[in-house]
Amino acid sequence: MTHFIFRNASILVFIMILSIFTGSGARAACLAPLSSTSYDRQINSGSINQDLFNRAVLYYTNKIRCRRGLPLFDSTRDVISAANTQARNMTRTRIYSHELNVSGARNLRERMRNQTRNFRTAGENIAKNFVYVLNGRPYIPAANCAFRYLNTRQPVPIHTYRSLAEELVGSWESSRGHLANILNRRFTRMGAAFGIDRRGQLCGEVYASQVFAG
């Protein structure tokens, strides 16, 4: 997983700044459970519900913000669209990078400017994962995608919107650079999207993007 940040016209060195924000409204909102069963639908490359994924990523990201006493992110069309552009292009080109040789979307600055001029600073986390819930666990290979966990012999399930979002946000949280984006108090909004490359390893690879702006 990699991270990237810029302040409109120039690259920034990461500086993690934690603010003291103890608004009771923000804390209460982020503790509300992600209860809808819609999030437990299996992801499907033929019909990806980006809205479900974005809302799940927003929920788990805001839980981290809440624990640190930070104001919660909103999710707006501009950052969602920028994330969707990057996820789609990484999937199409099969290149896992913040910078792609795609006209008008070569880097985060271009992707954001194509969506809005209403931002001063922006950042991006990207991730590459699998359609199946492997999460680093040993598994028994299977030509027909019927993988089983090595220790339990139980079938490996396909990710749901909930499990994919939770795993990706958990991975970003465990990385200092990615966490700096999540905790950056200059950012006020966040959007996320993903694509599935069925040509990839283990019956499908996931390319995801999380974009922040302020």
Side-chain angles (χ1 to χ4, degrees):
M1 304 211 177
T2 62
H3 62 272
F4 178 79
I5 185 172
F6 72 87
R7 185 191 292 273
N8 219 355
S10 61
I11 301 297
L12 287 182
V13 175
F14 274 109
I15 302 176
M16 188 182 301
I17 301 176
L18 303 183
S19 66
I20 305 301
F21 182 89
T22 57
S24 59
R27 288 186 178 276
C30 74
L31 295 176
L34 194 65
S35 57
S36 172
T37 57
S38 297
Y39 298 103
D40 297 314
R41 289 166 45 190
Q42 289 184 339
I43 61 174
N44 184 321
S45 60
S47 179
I48 295 175
N49 189 321
Q50 297 289 6
D51 181 60
L52 272 181
F53 178 71
N54 177 67
R55 283 188 278 140
V57 171
L58 180 68
Y59 171 78
Y60 289 112
T61 301
N62 274 338
K63 282 187 68 175
I64 298 171
R65 299 270 293 187
C66 180
R67 289 198 299 266
R68 304 299 183 97
L70 295 170
L72 306 186
F73 287 130
D74 290 324
S75 193
T76 53
R77 184 181 300 275
D78 54 354
V79 285
I80 295 171
S81 295
N84 190 46
T85 296
Q86 177 65 354
R88 184 176 64 250
N89 285 331
M90 284 193 296
T91 303
R92 179 178 58 81
T93 62
R94 307 181 76 182
I95 296 174
Y96 175 56
S97 174
H98 291 285
E99 298 188 0
L100 300 173
N101 188 22
V102 177
S103 178
R106 290 183 176 87
N107 52 47
L108 180 57
R109 184 183 296 110
E110 286 190 4
R111 293 189 288 274
M112 282 298 297
R113 284 180 172 172
N114 281 339
Q115 302 302 326
T116 182
R117 295 281 176 169
N118 184 29
F119 73 100
R120 295 183 178 181
T121 183
E124 180 180 68
N125 291 339
I126 60 175
K128 187 177 179 182
N129 208 312
F130 299 103
V131 168
Y132 283 80
V133 188
L134 297 169
N135 199 18
R137 295 177 59 180
Y139 65 93
I140 302 170
N144 61 352
C145 304
F147 308 115
R148 291 182 178 272
Y149 293 119
L150 183 61
N151 59 340
T152 65
R153 298 300 196 272
Q154 293 299 309
V156 177
I158 294 174
H159 266 297
T160 65
Y161 288 94
R162 185 194 305 272
S163 68
L164 180 61
E166 187 172 18
E167 183 174 328
L168 293 180
V169 174
S171 296
W172 287 326
E173 183 182 15
S174 67
S175 163
R176 183 175 180 179
H178 297 92
L179 182 61
N181 272 340
I182 291 172
L183 298 181
N184 193 326
R185 67 176 182 176
R186 295 187 179 94
F187 296 149
T188 59
R189 56 195 193 272
M190 184 228 85
F194 76 101
I196 297 176
D197 176 18
R198 288 293 183 185
R199 302 164 295 172
Q201 300 180 69
L202 302 175
C203 300
E205 291 177 309
V206 170
Y207 291 86
S209 171
Q210 181 183 39
V211 172
F212 309 88

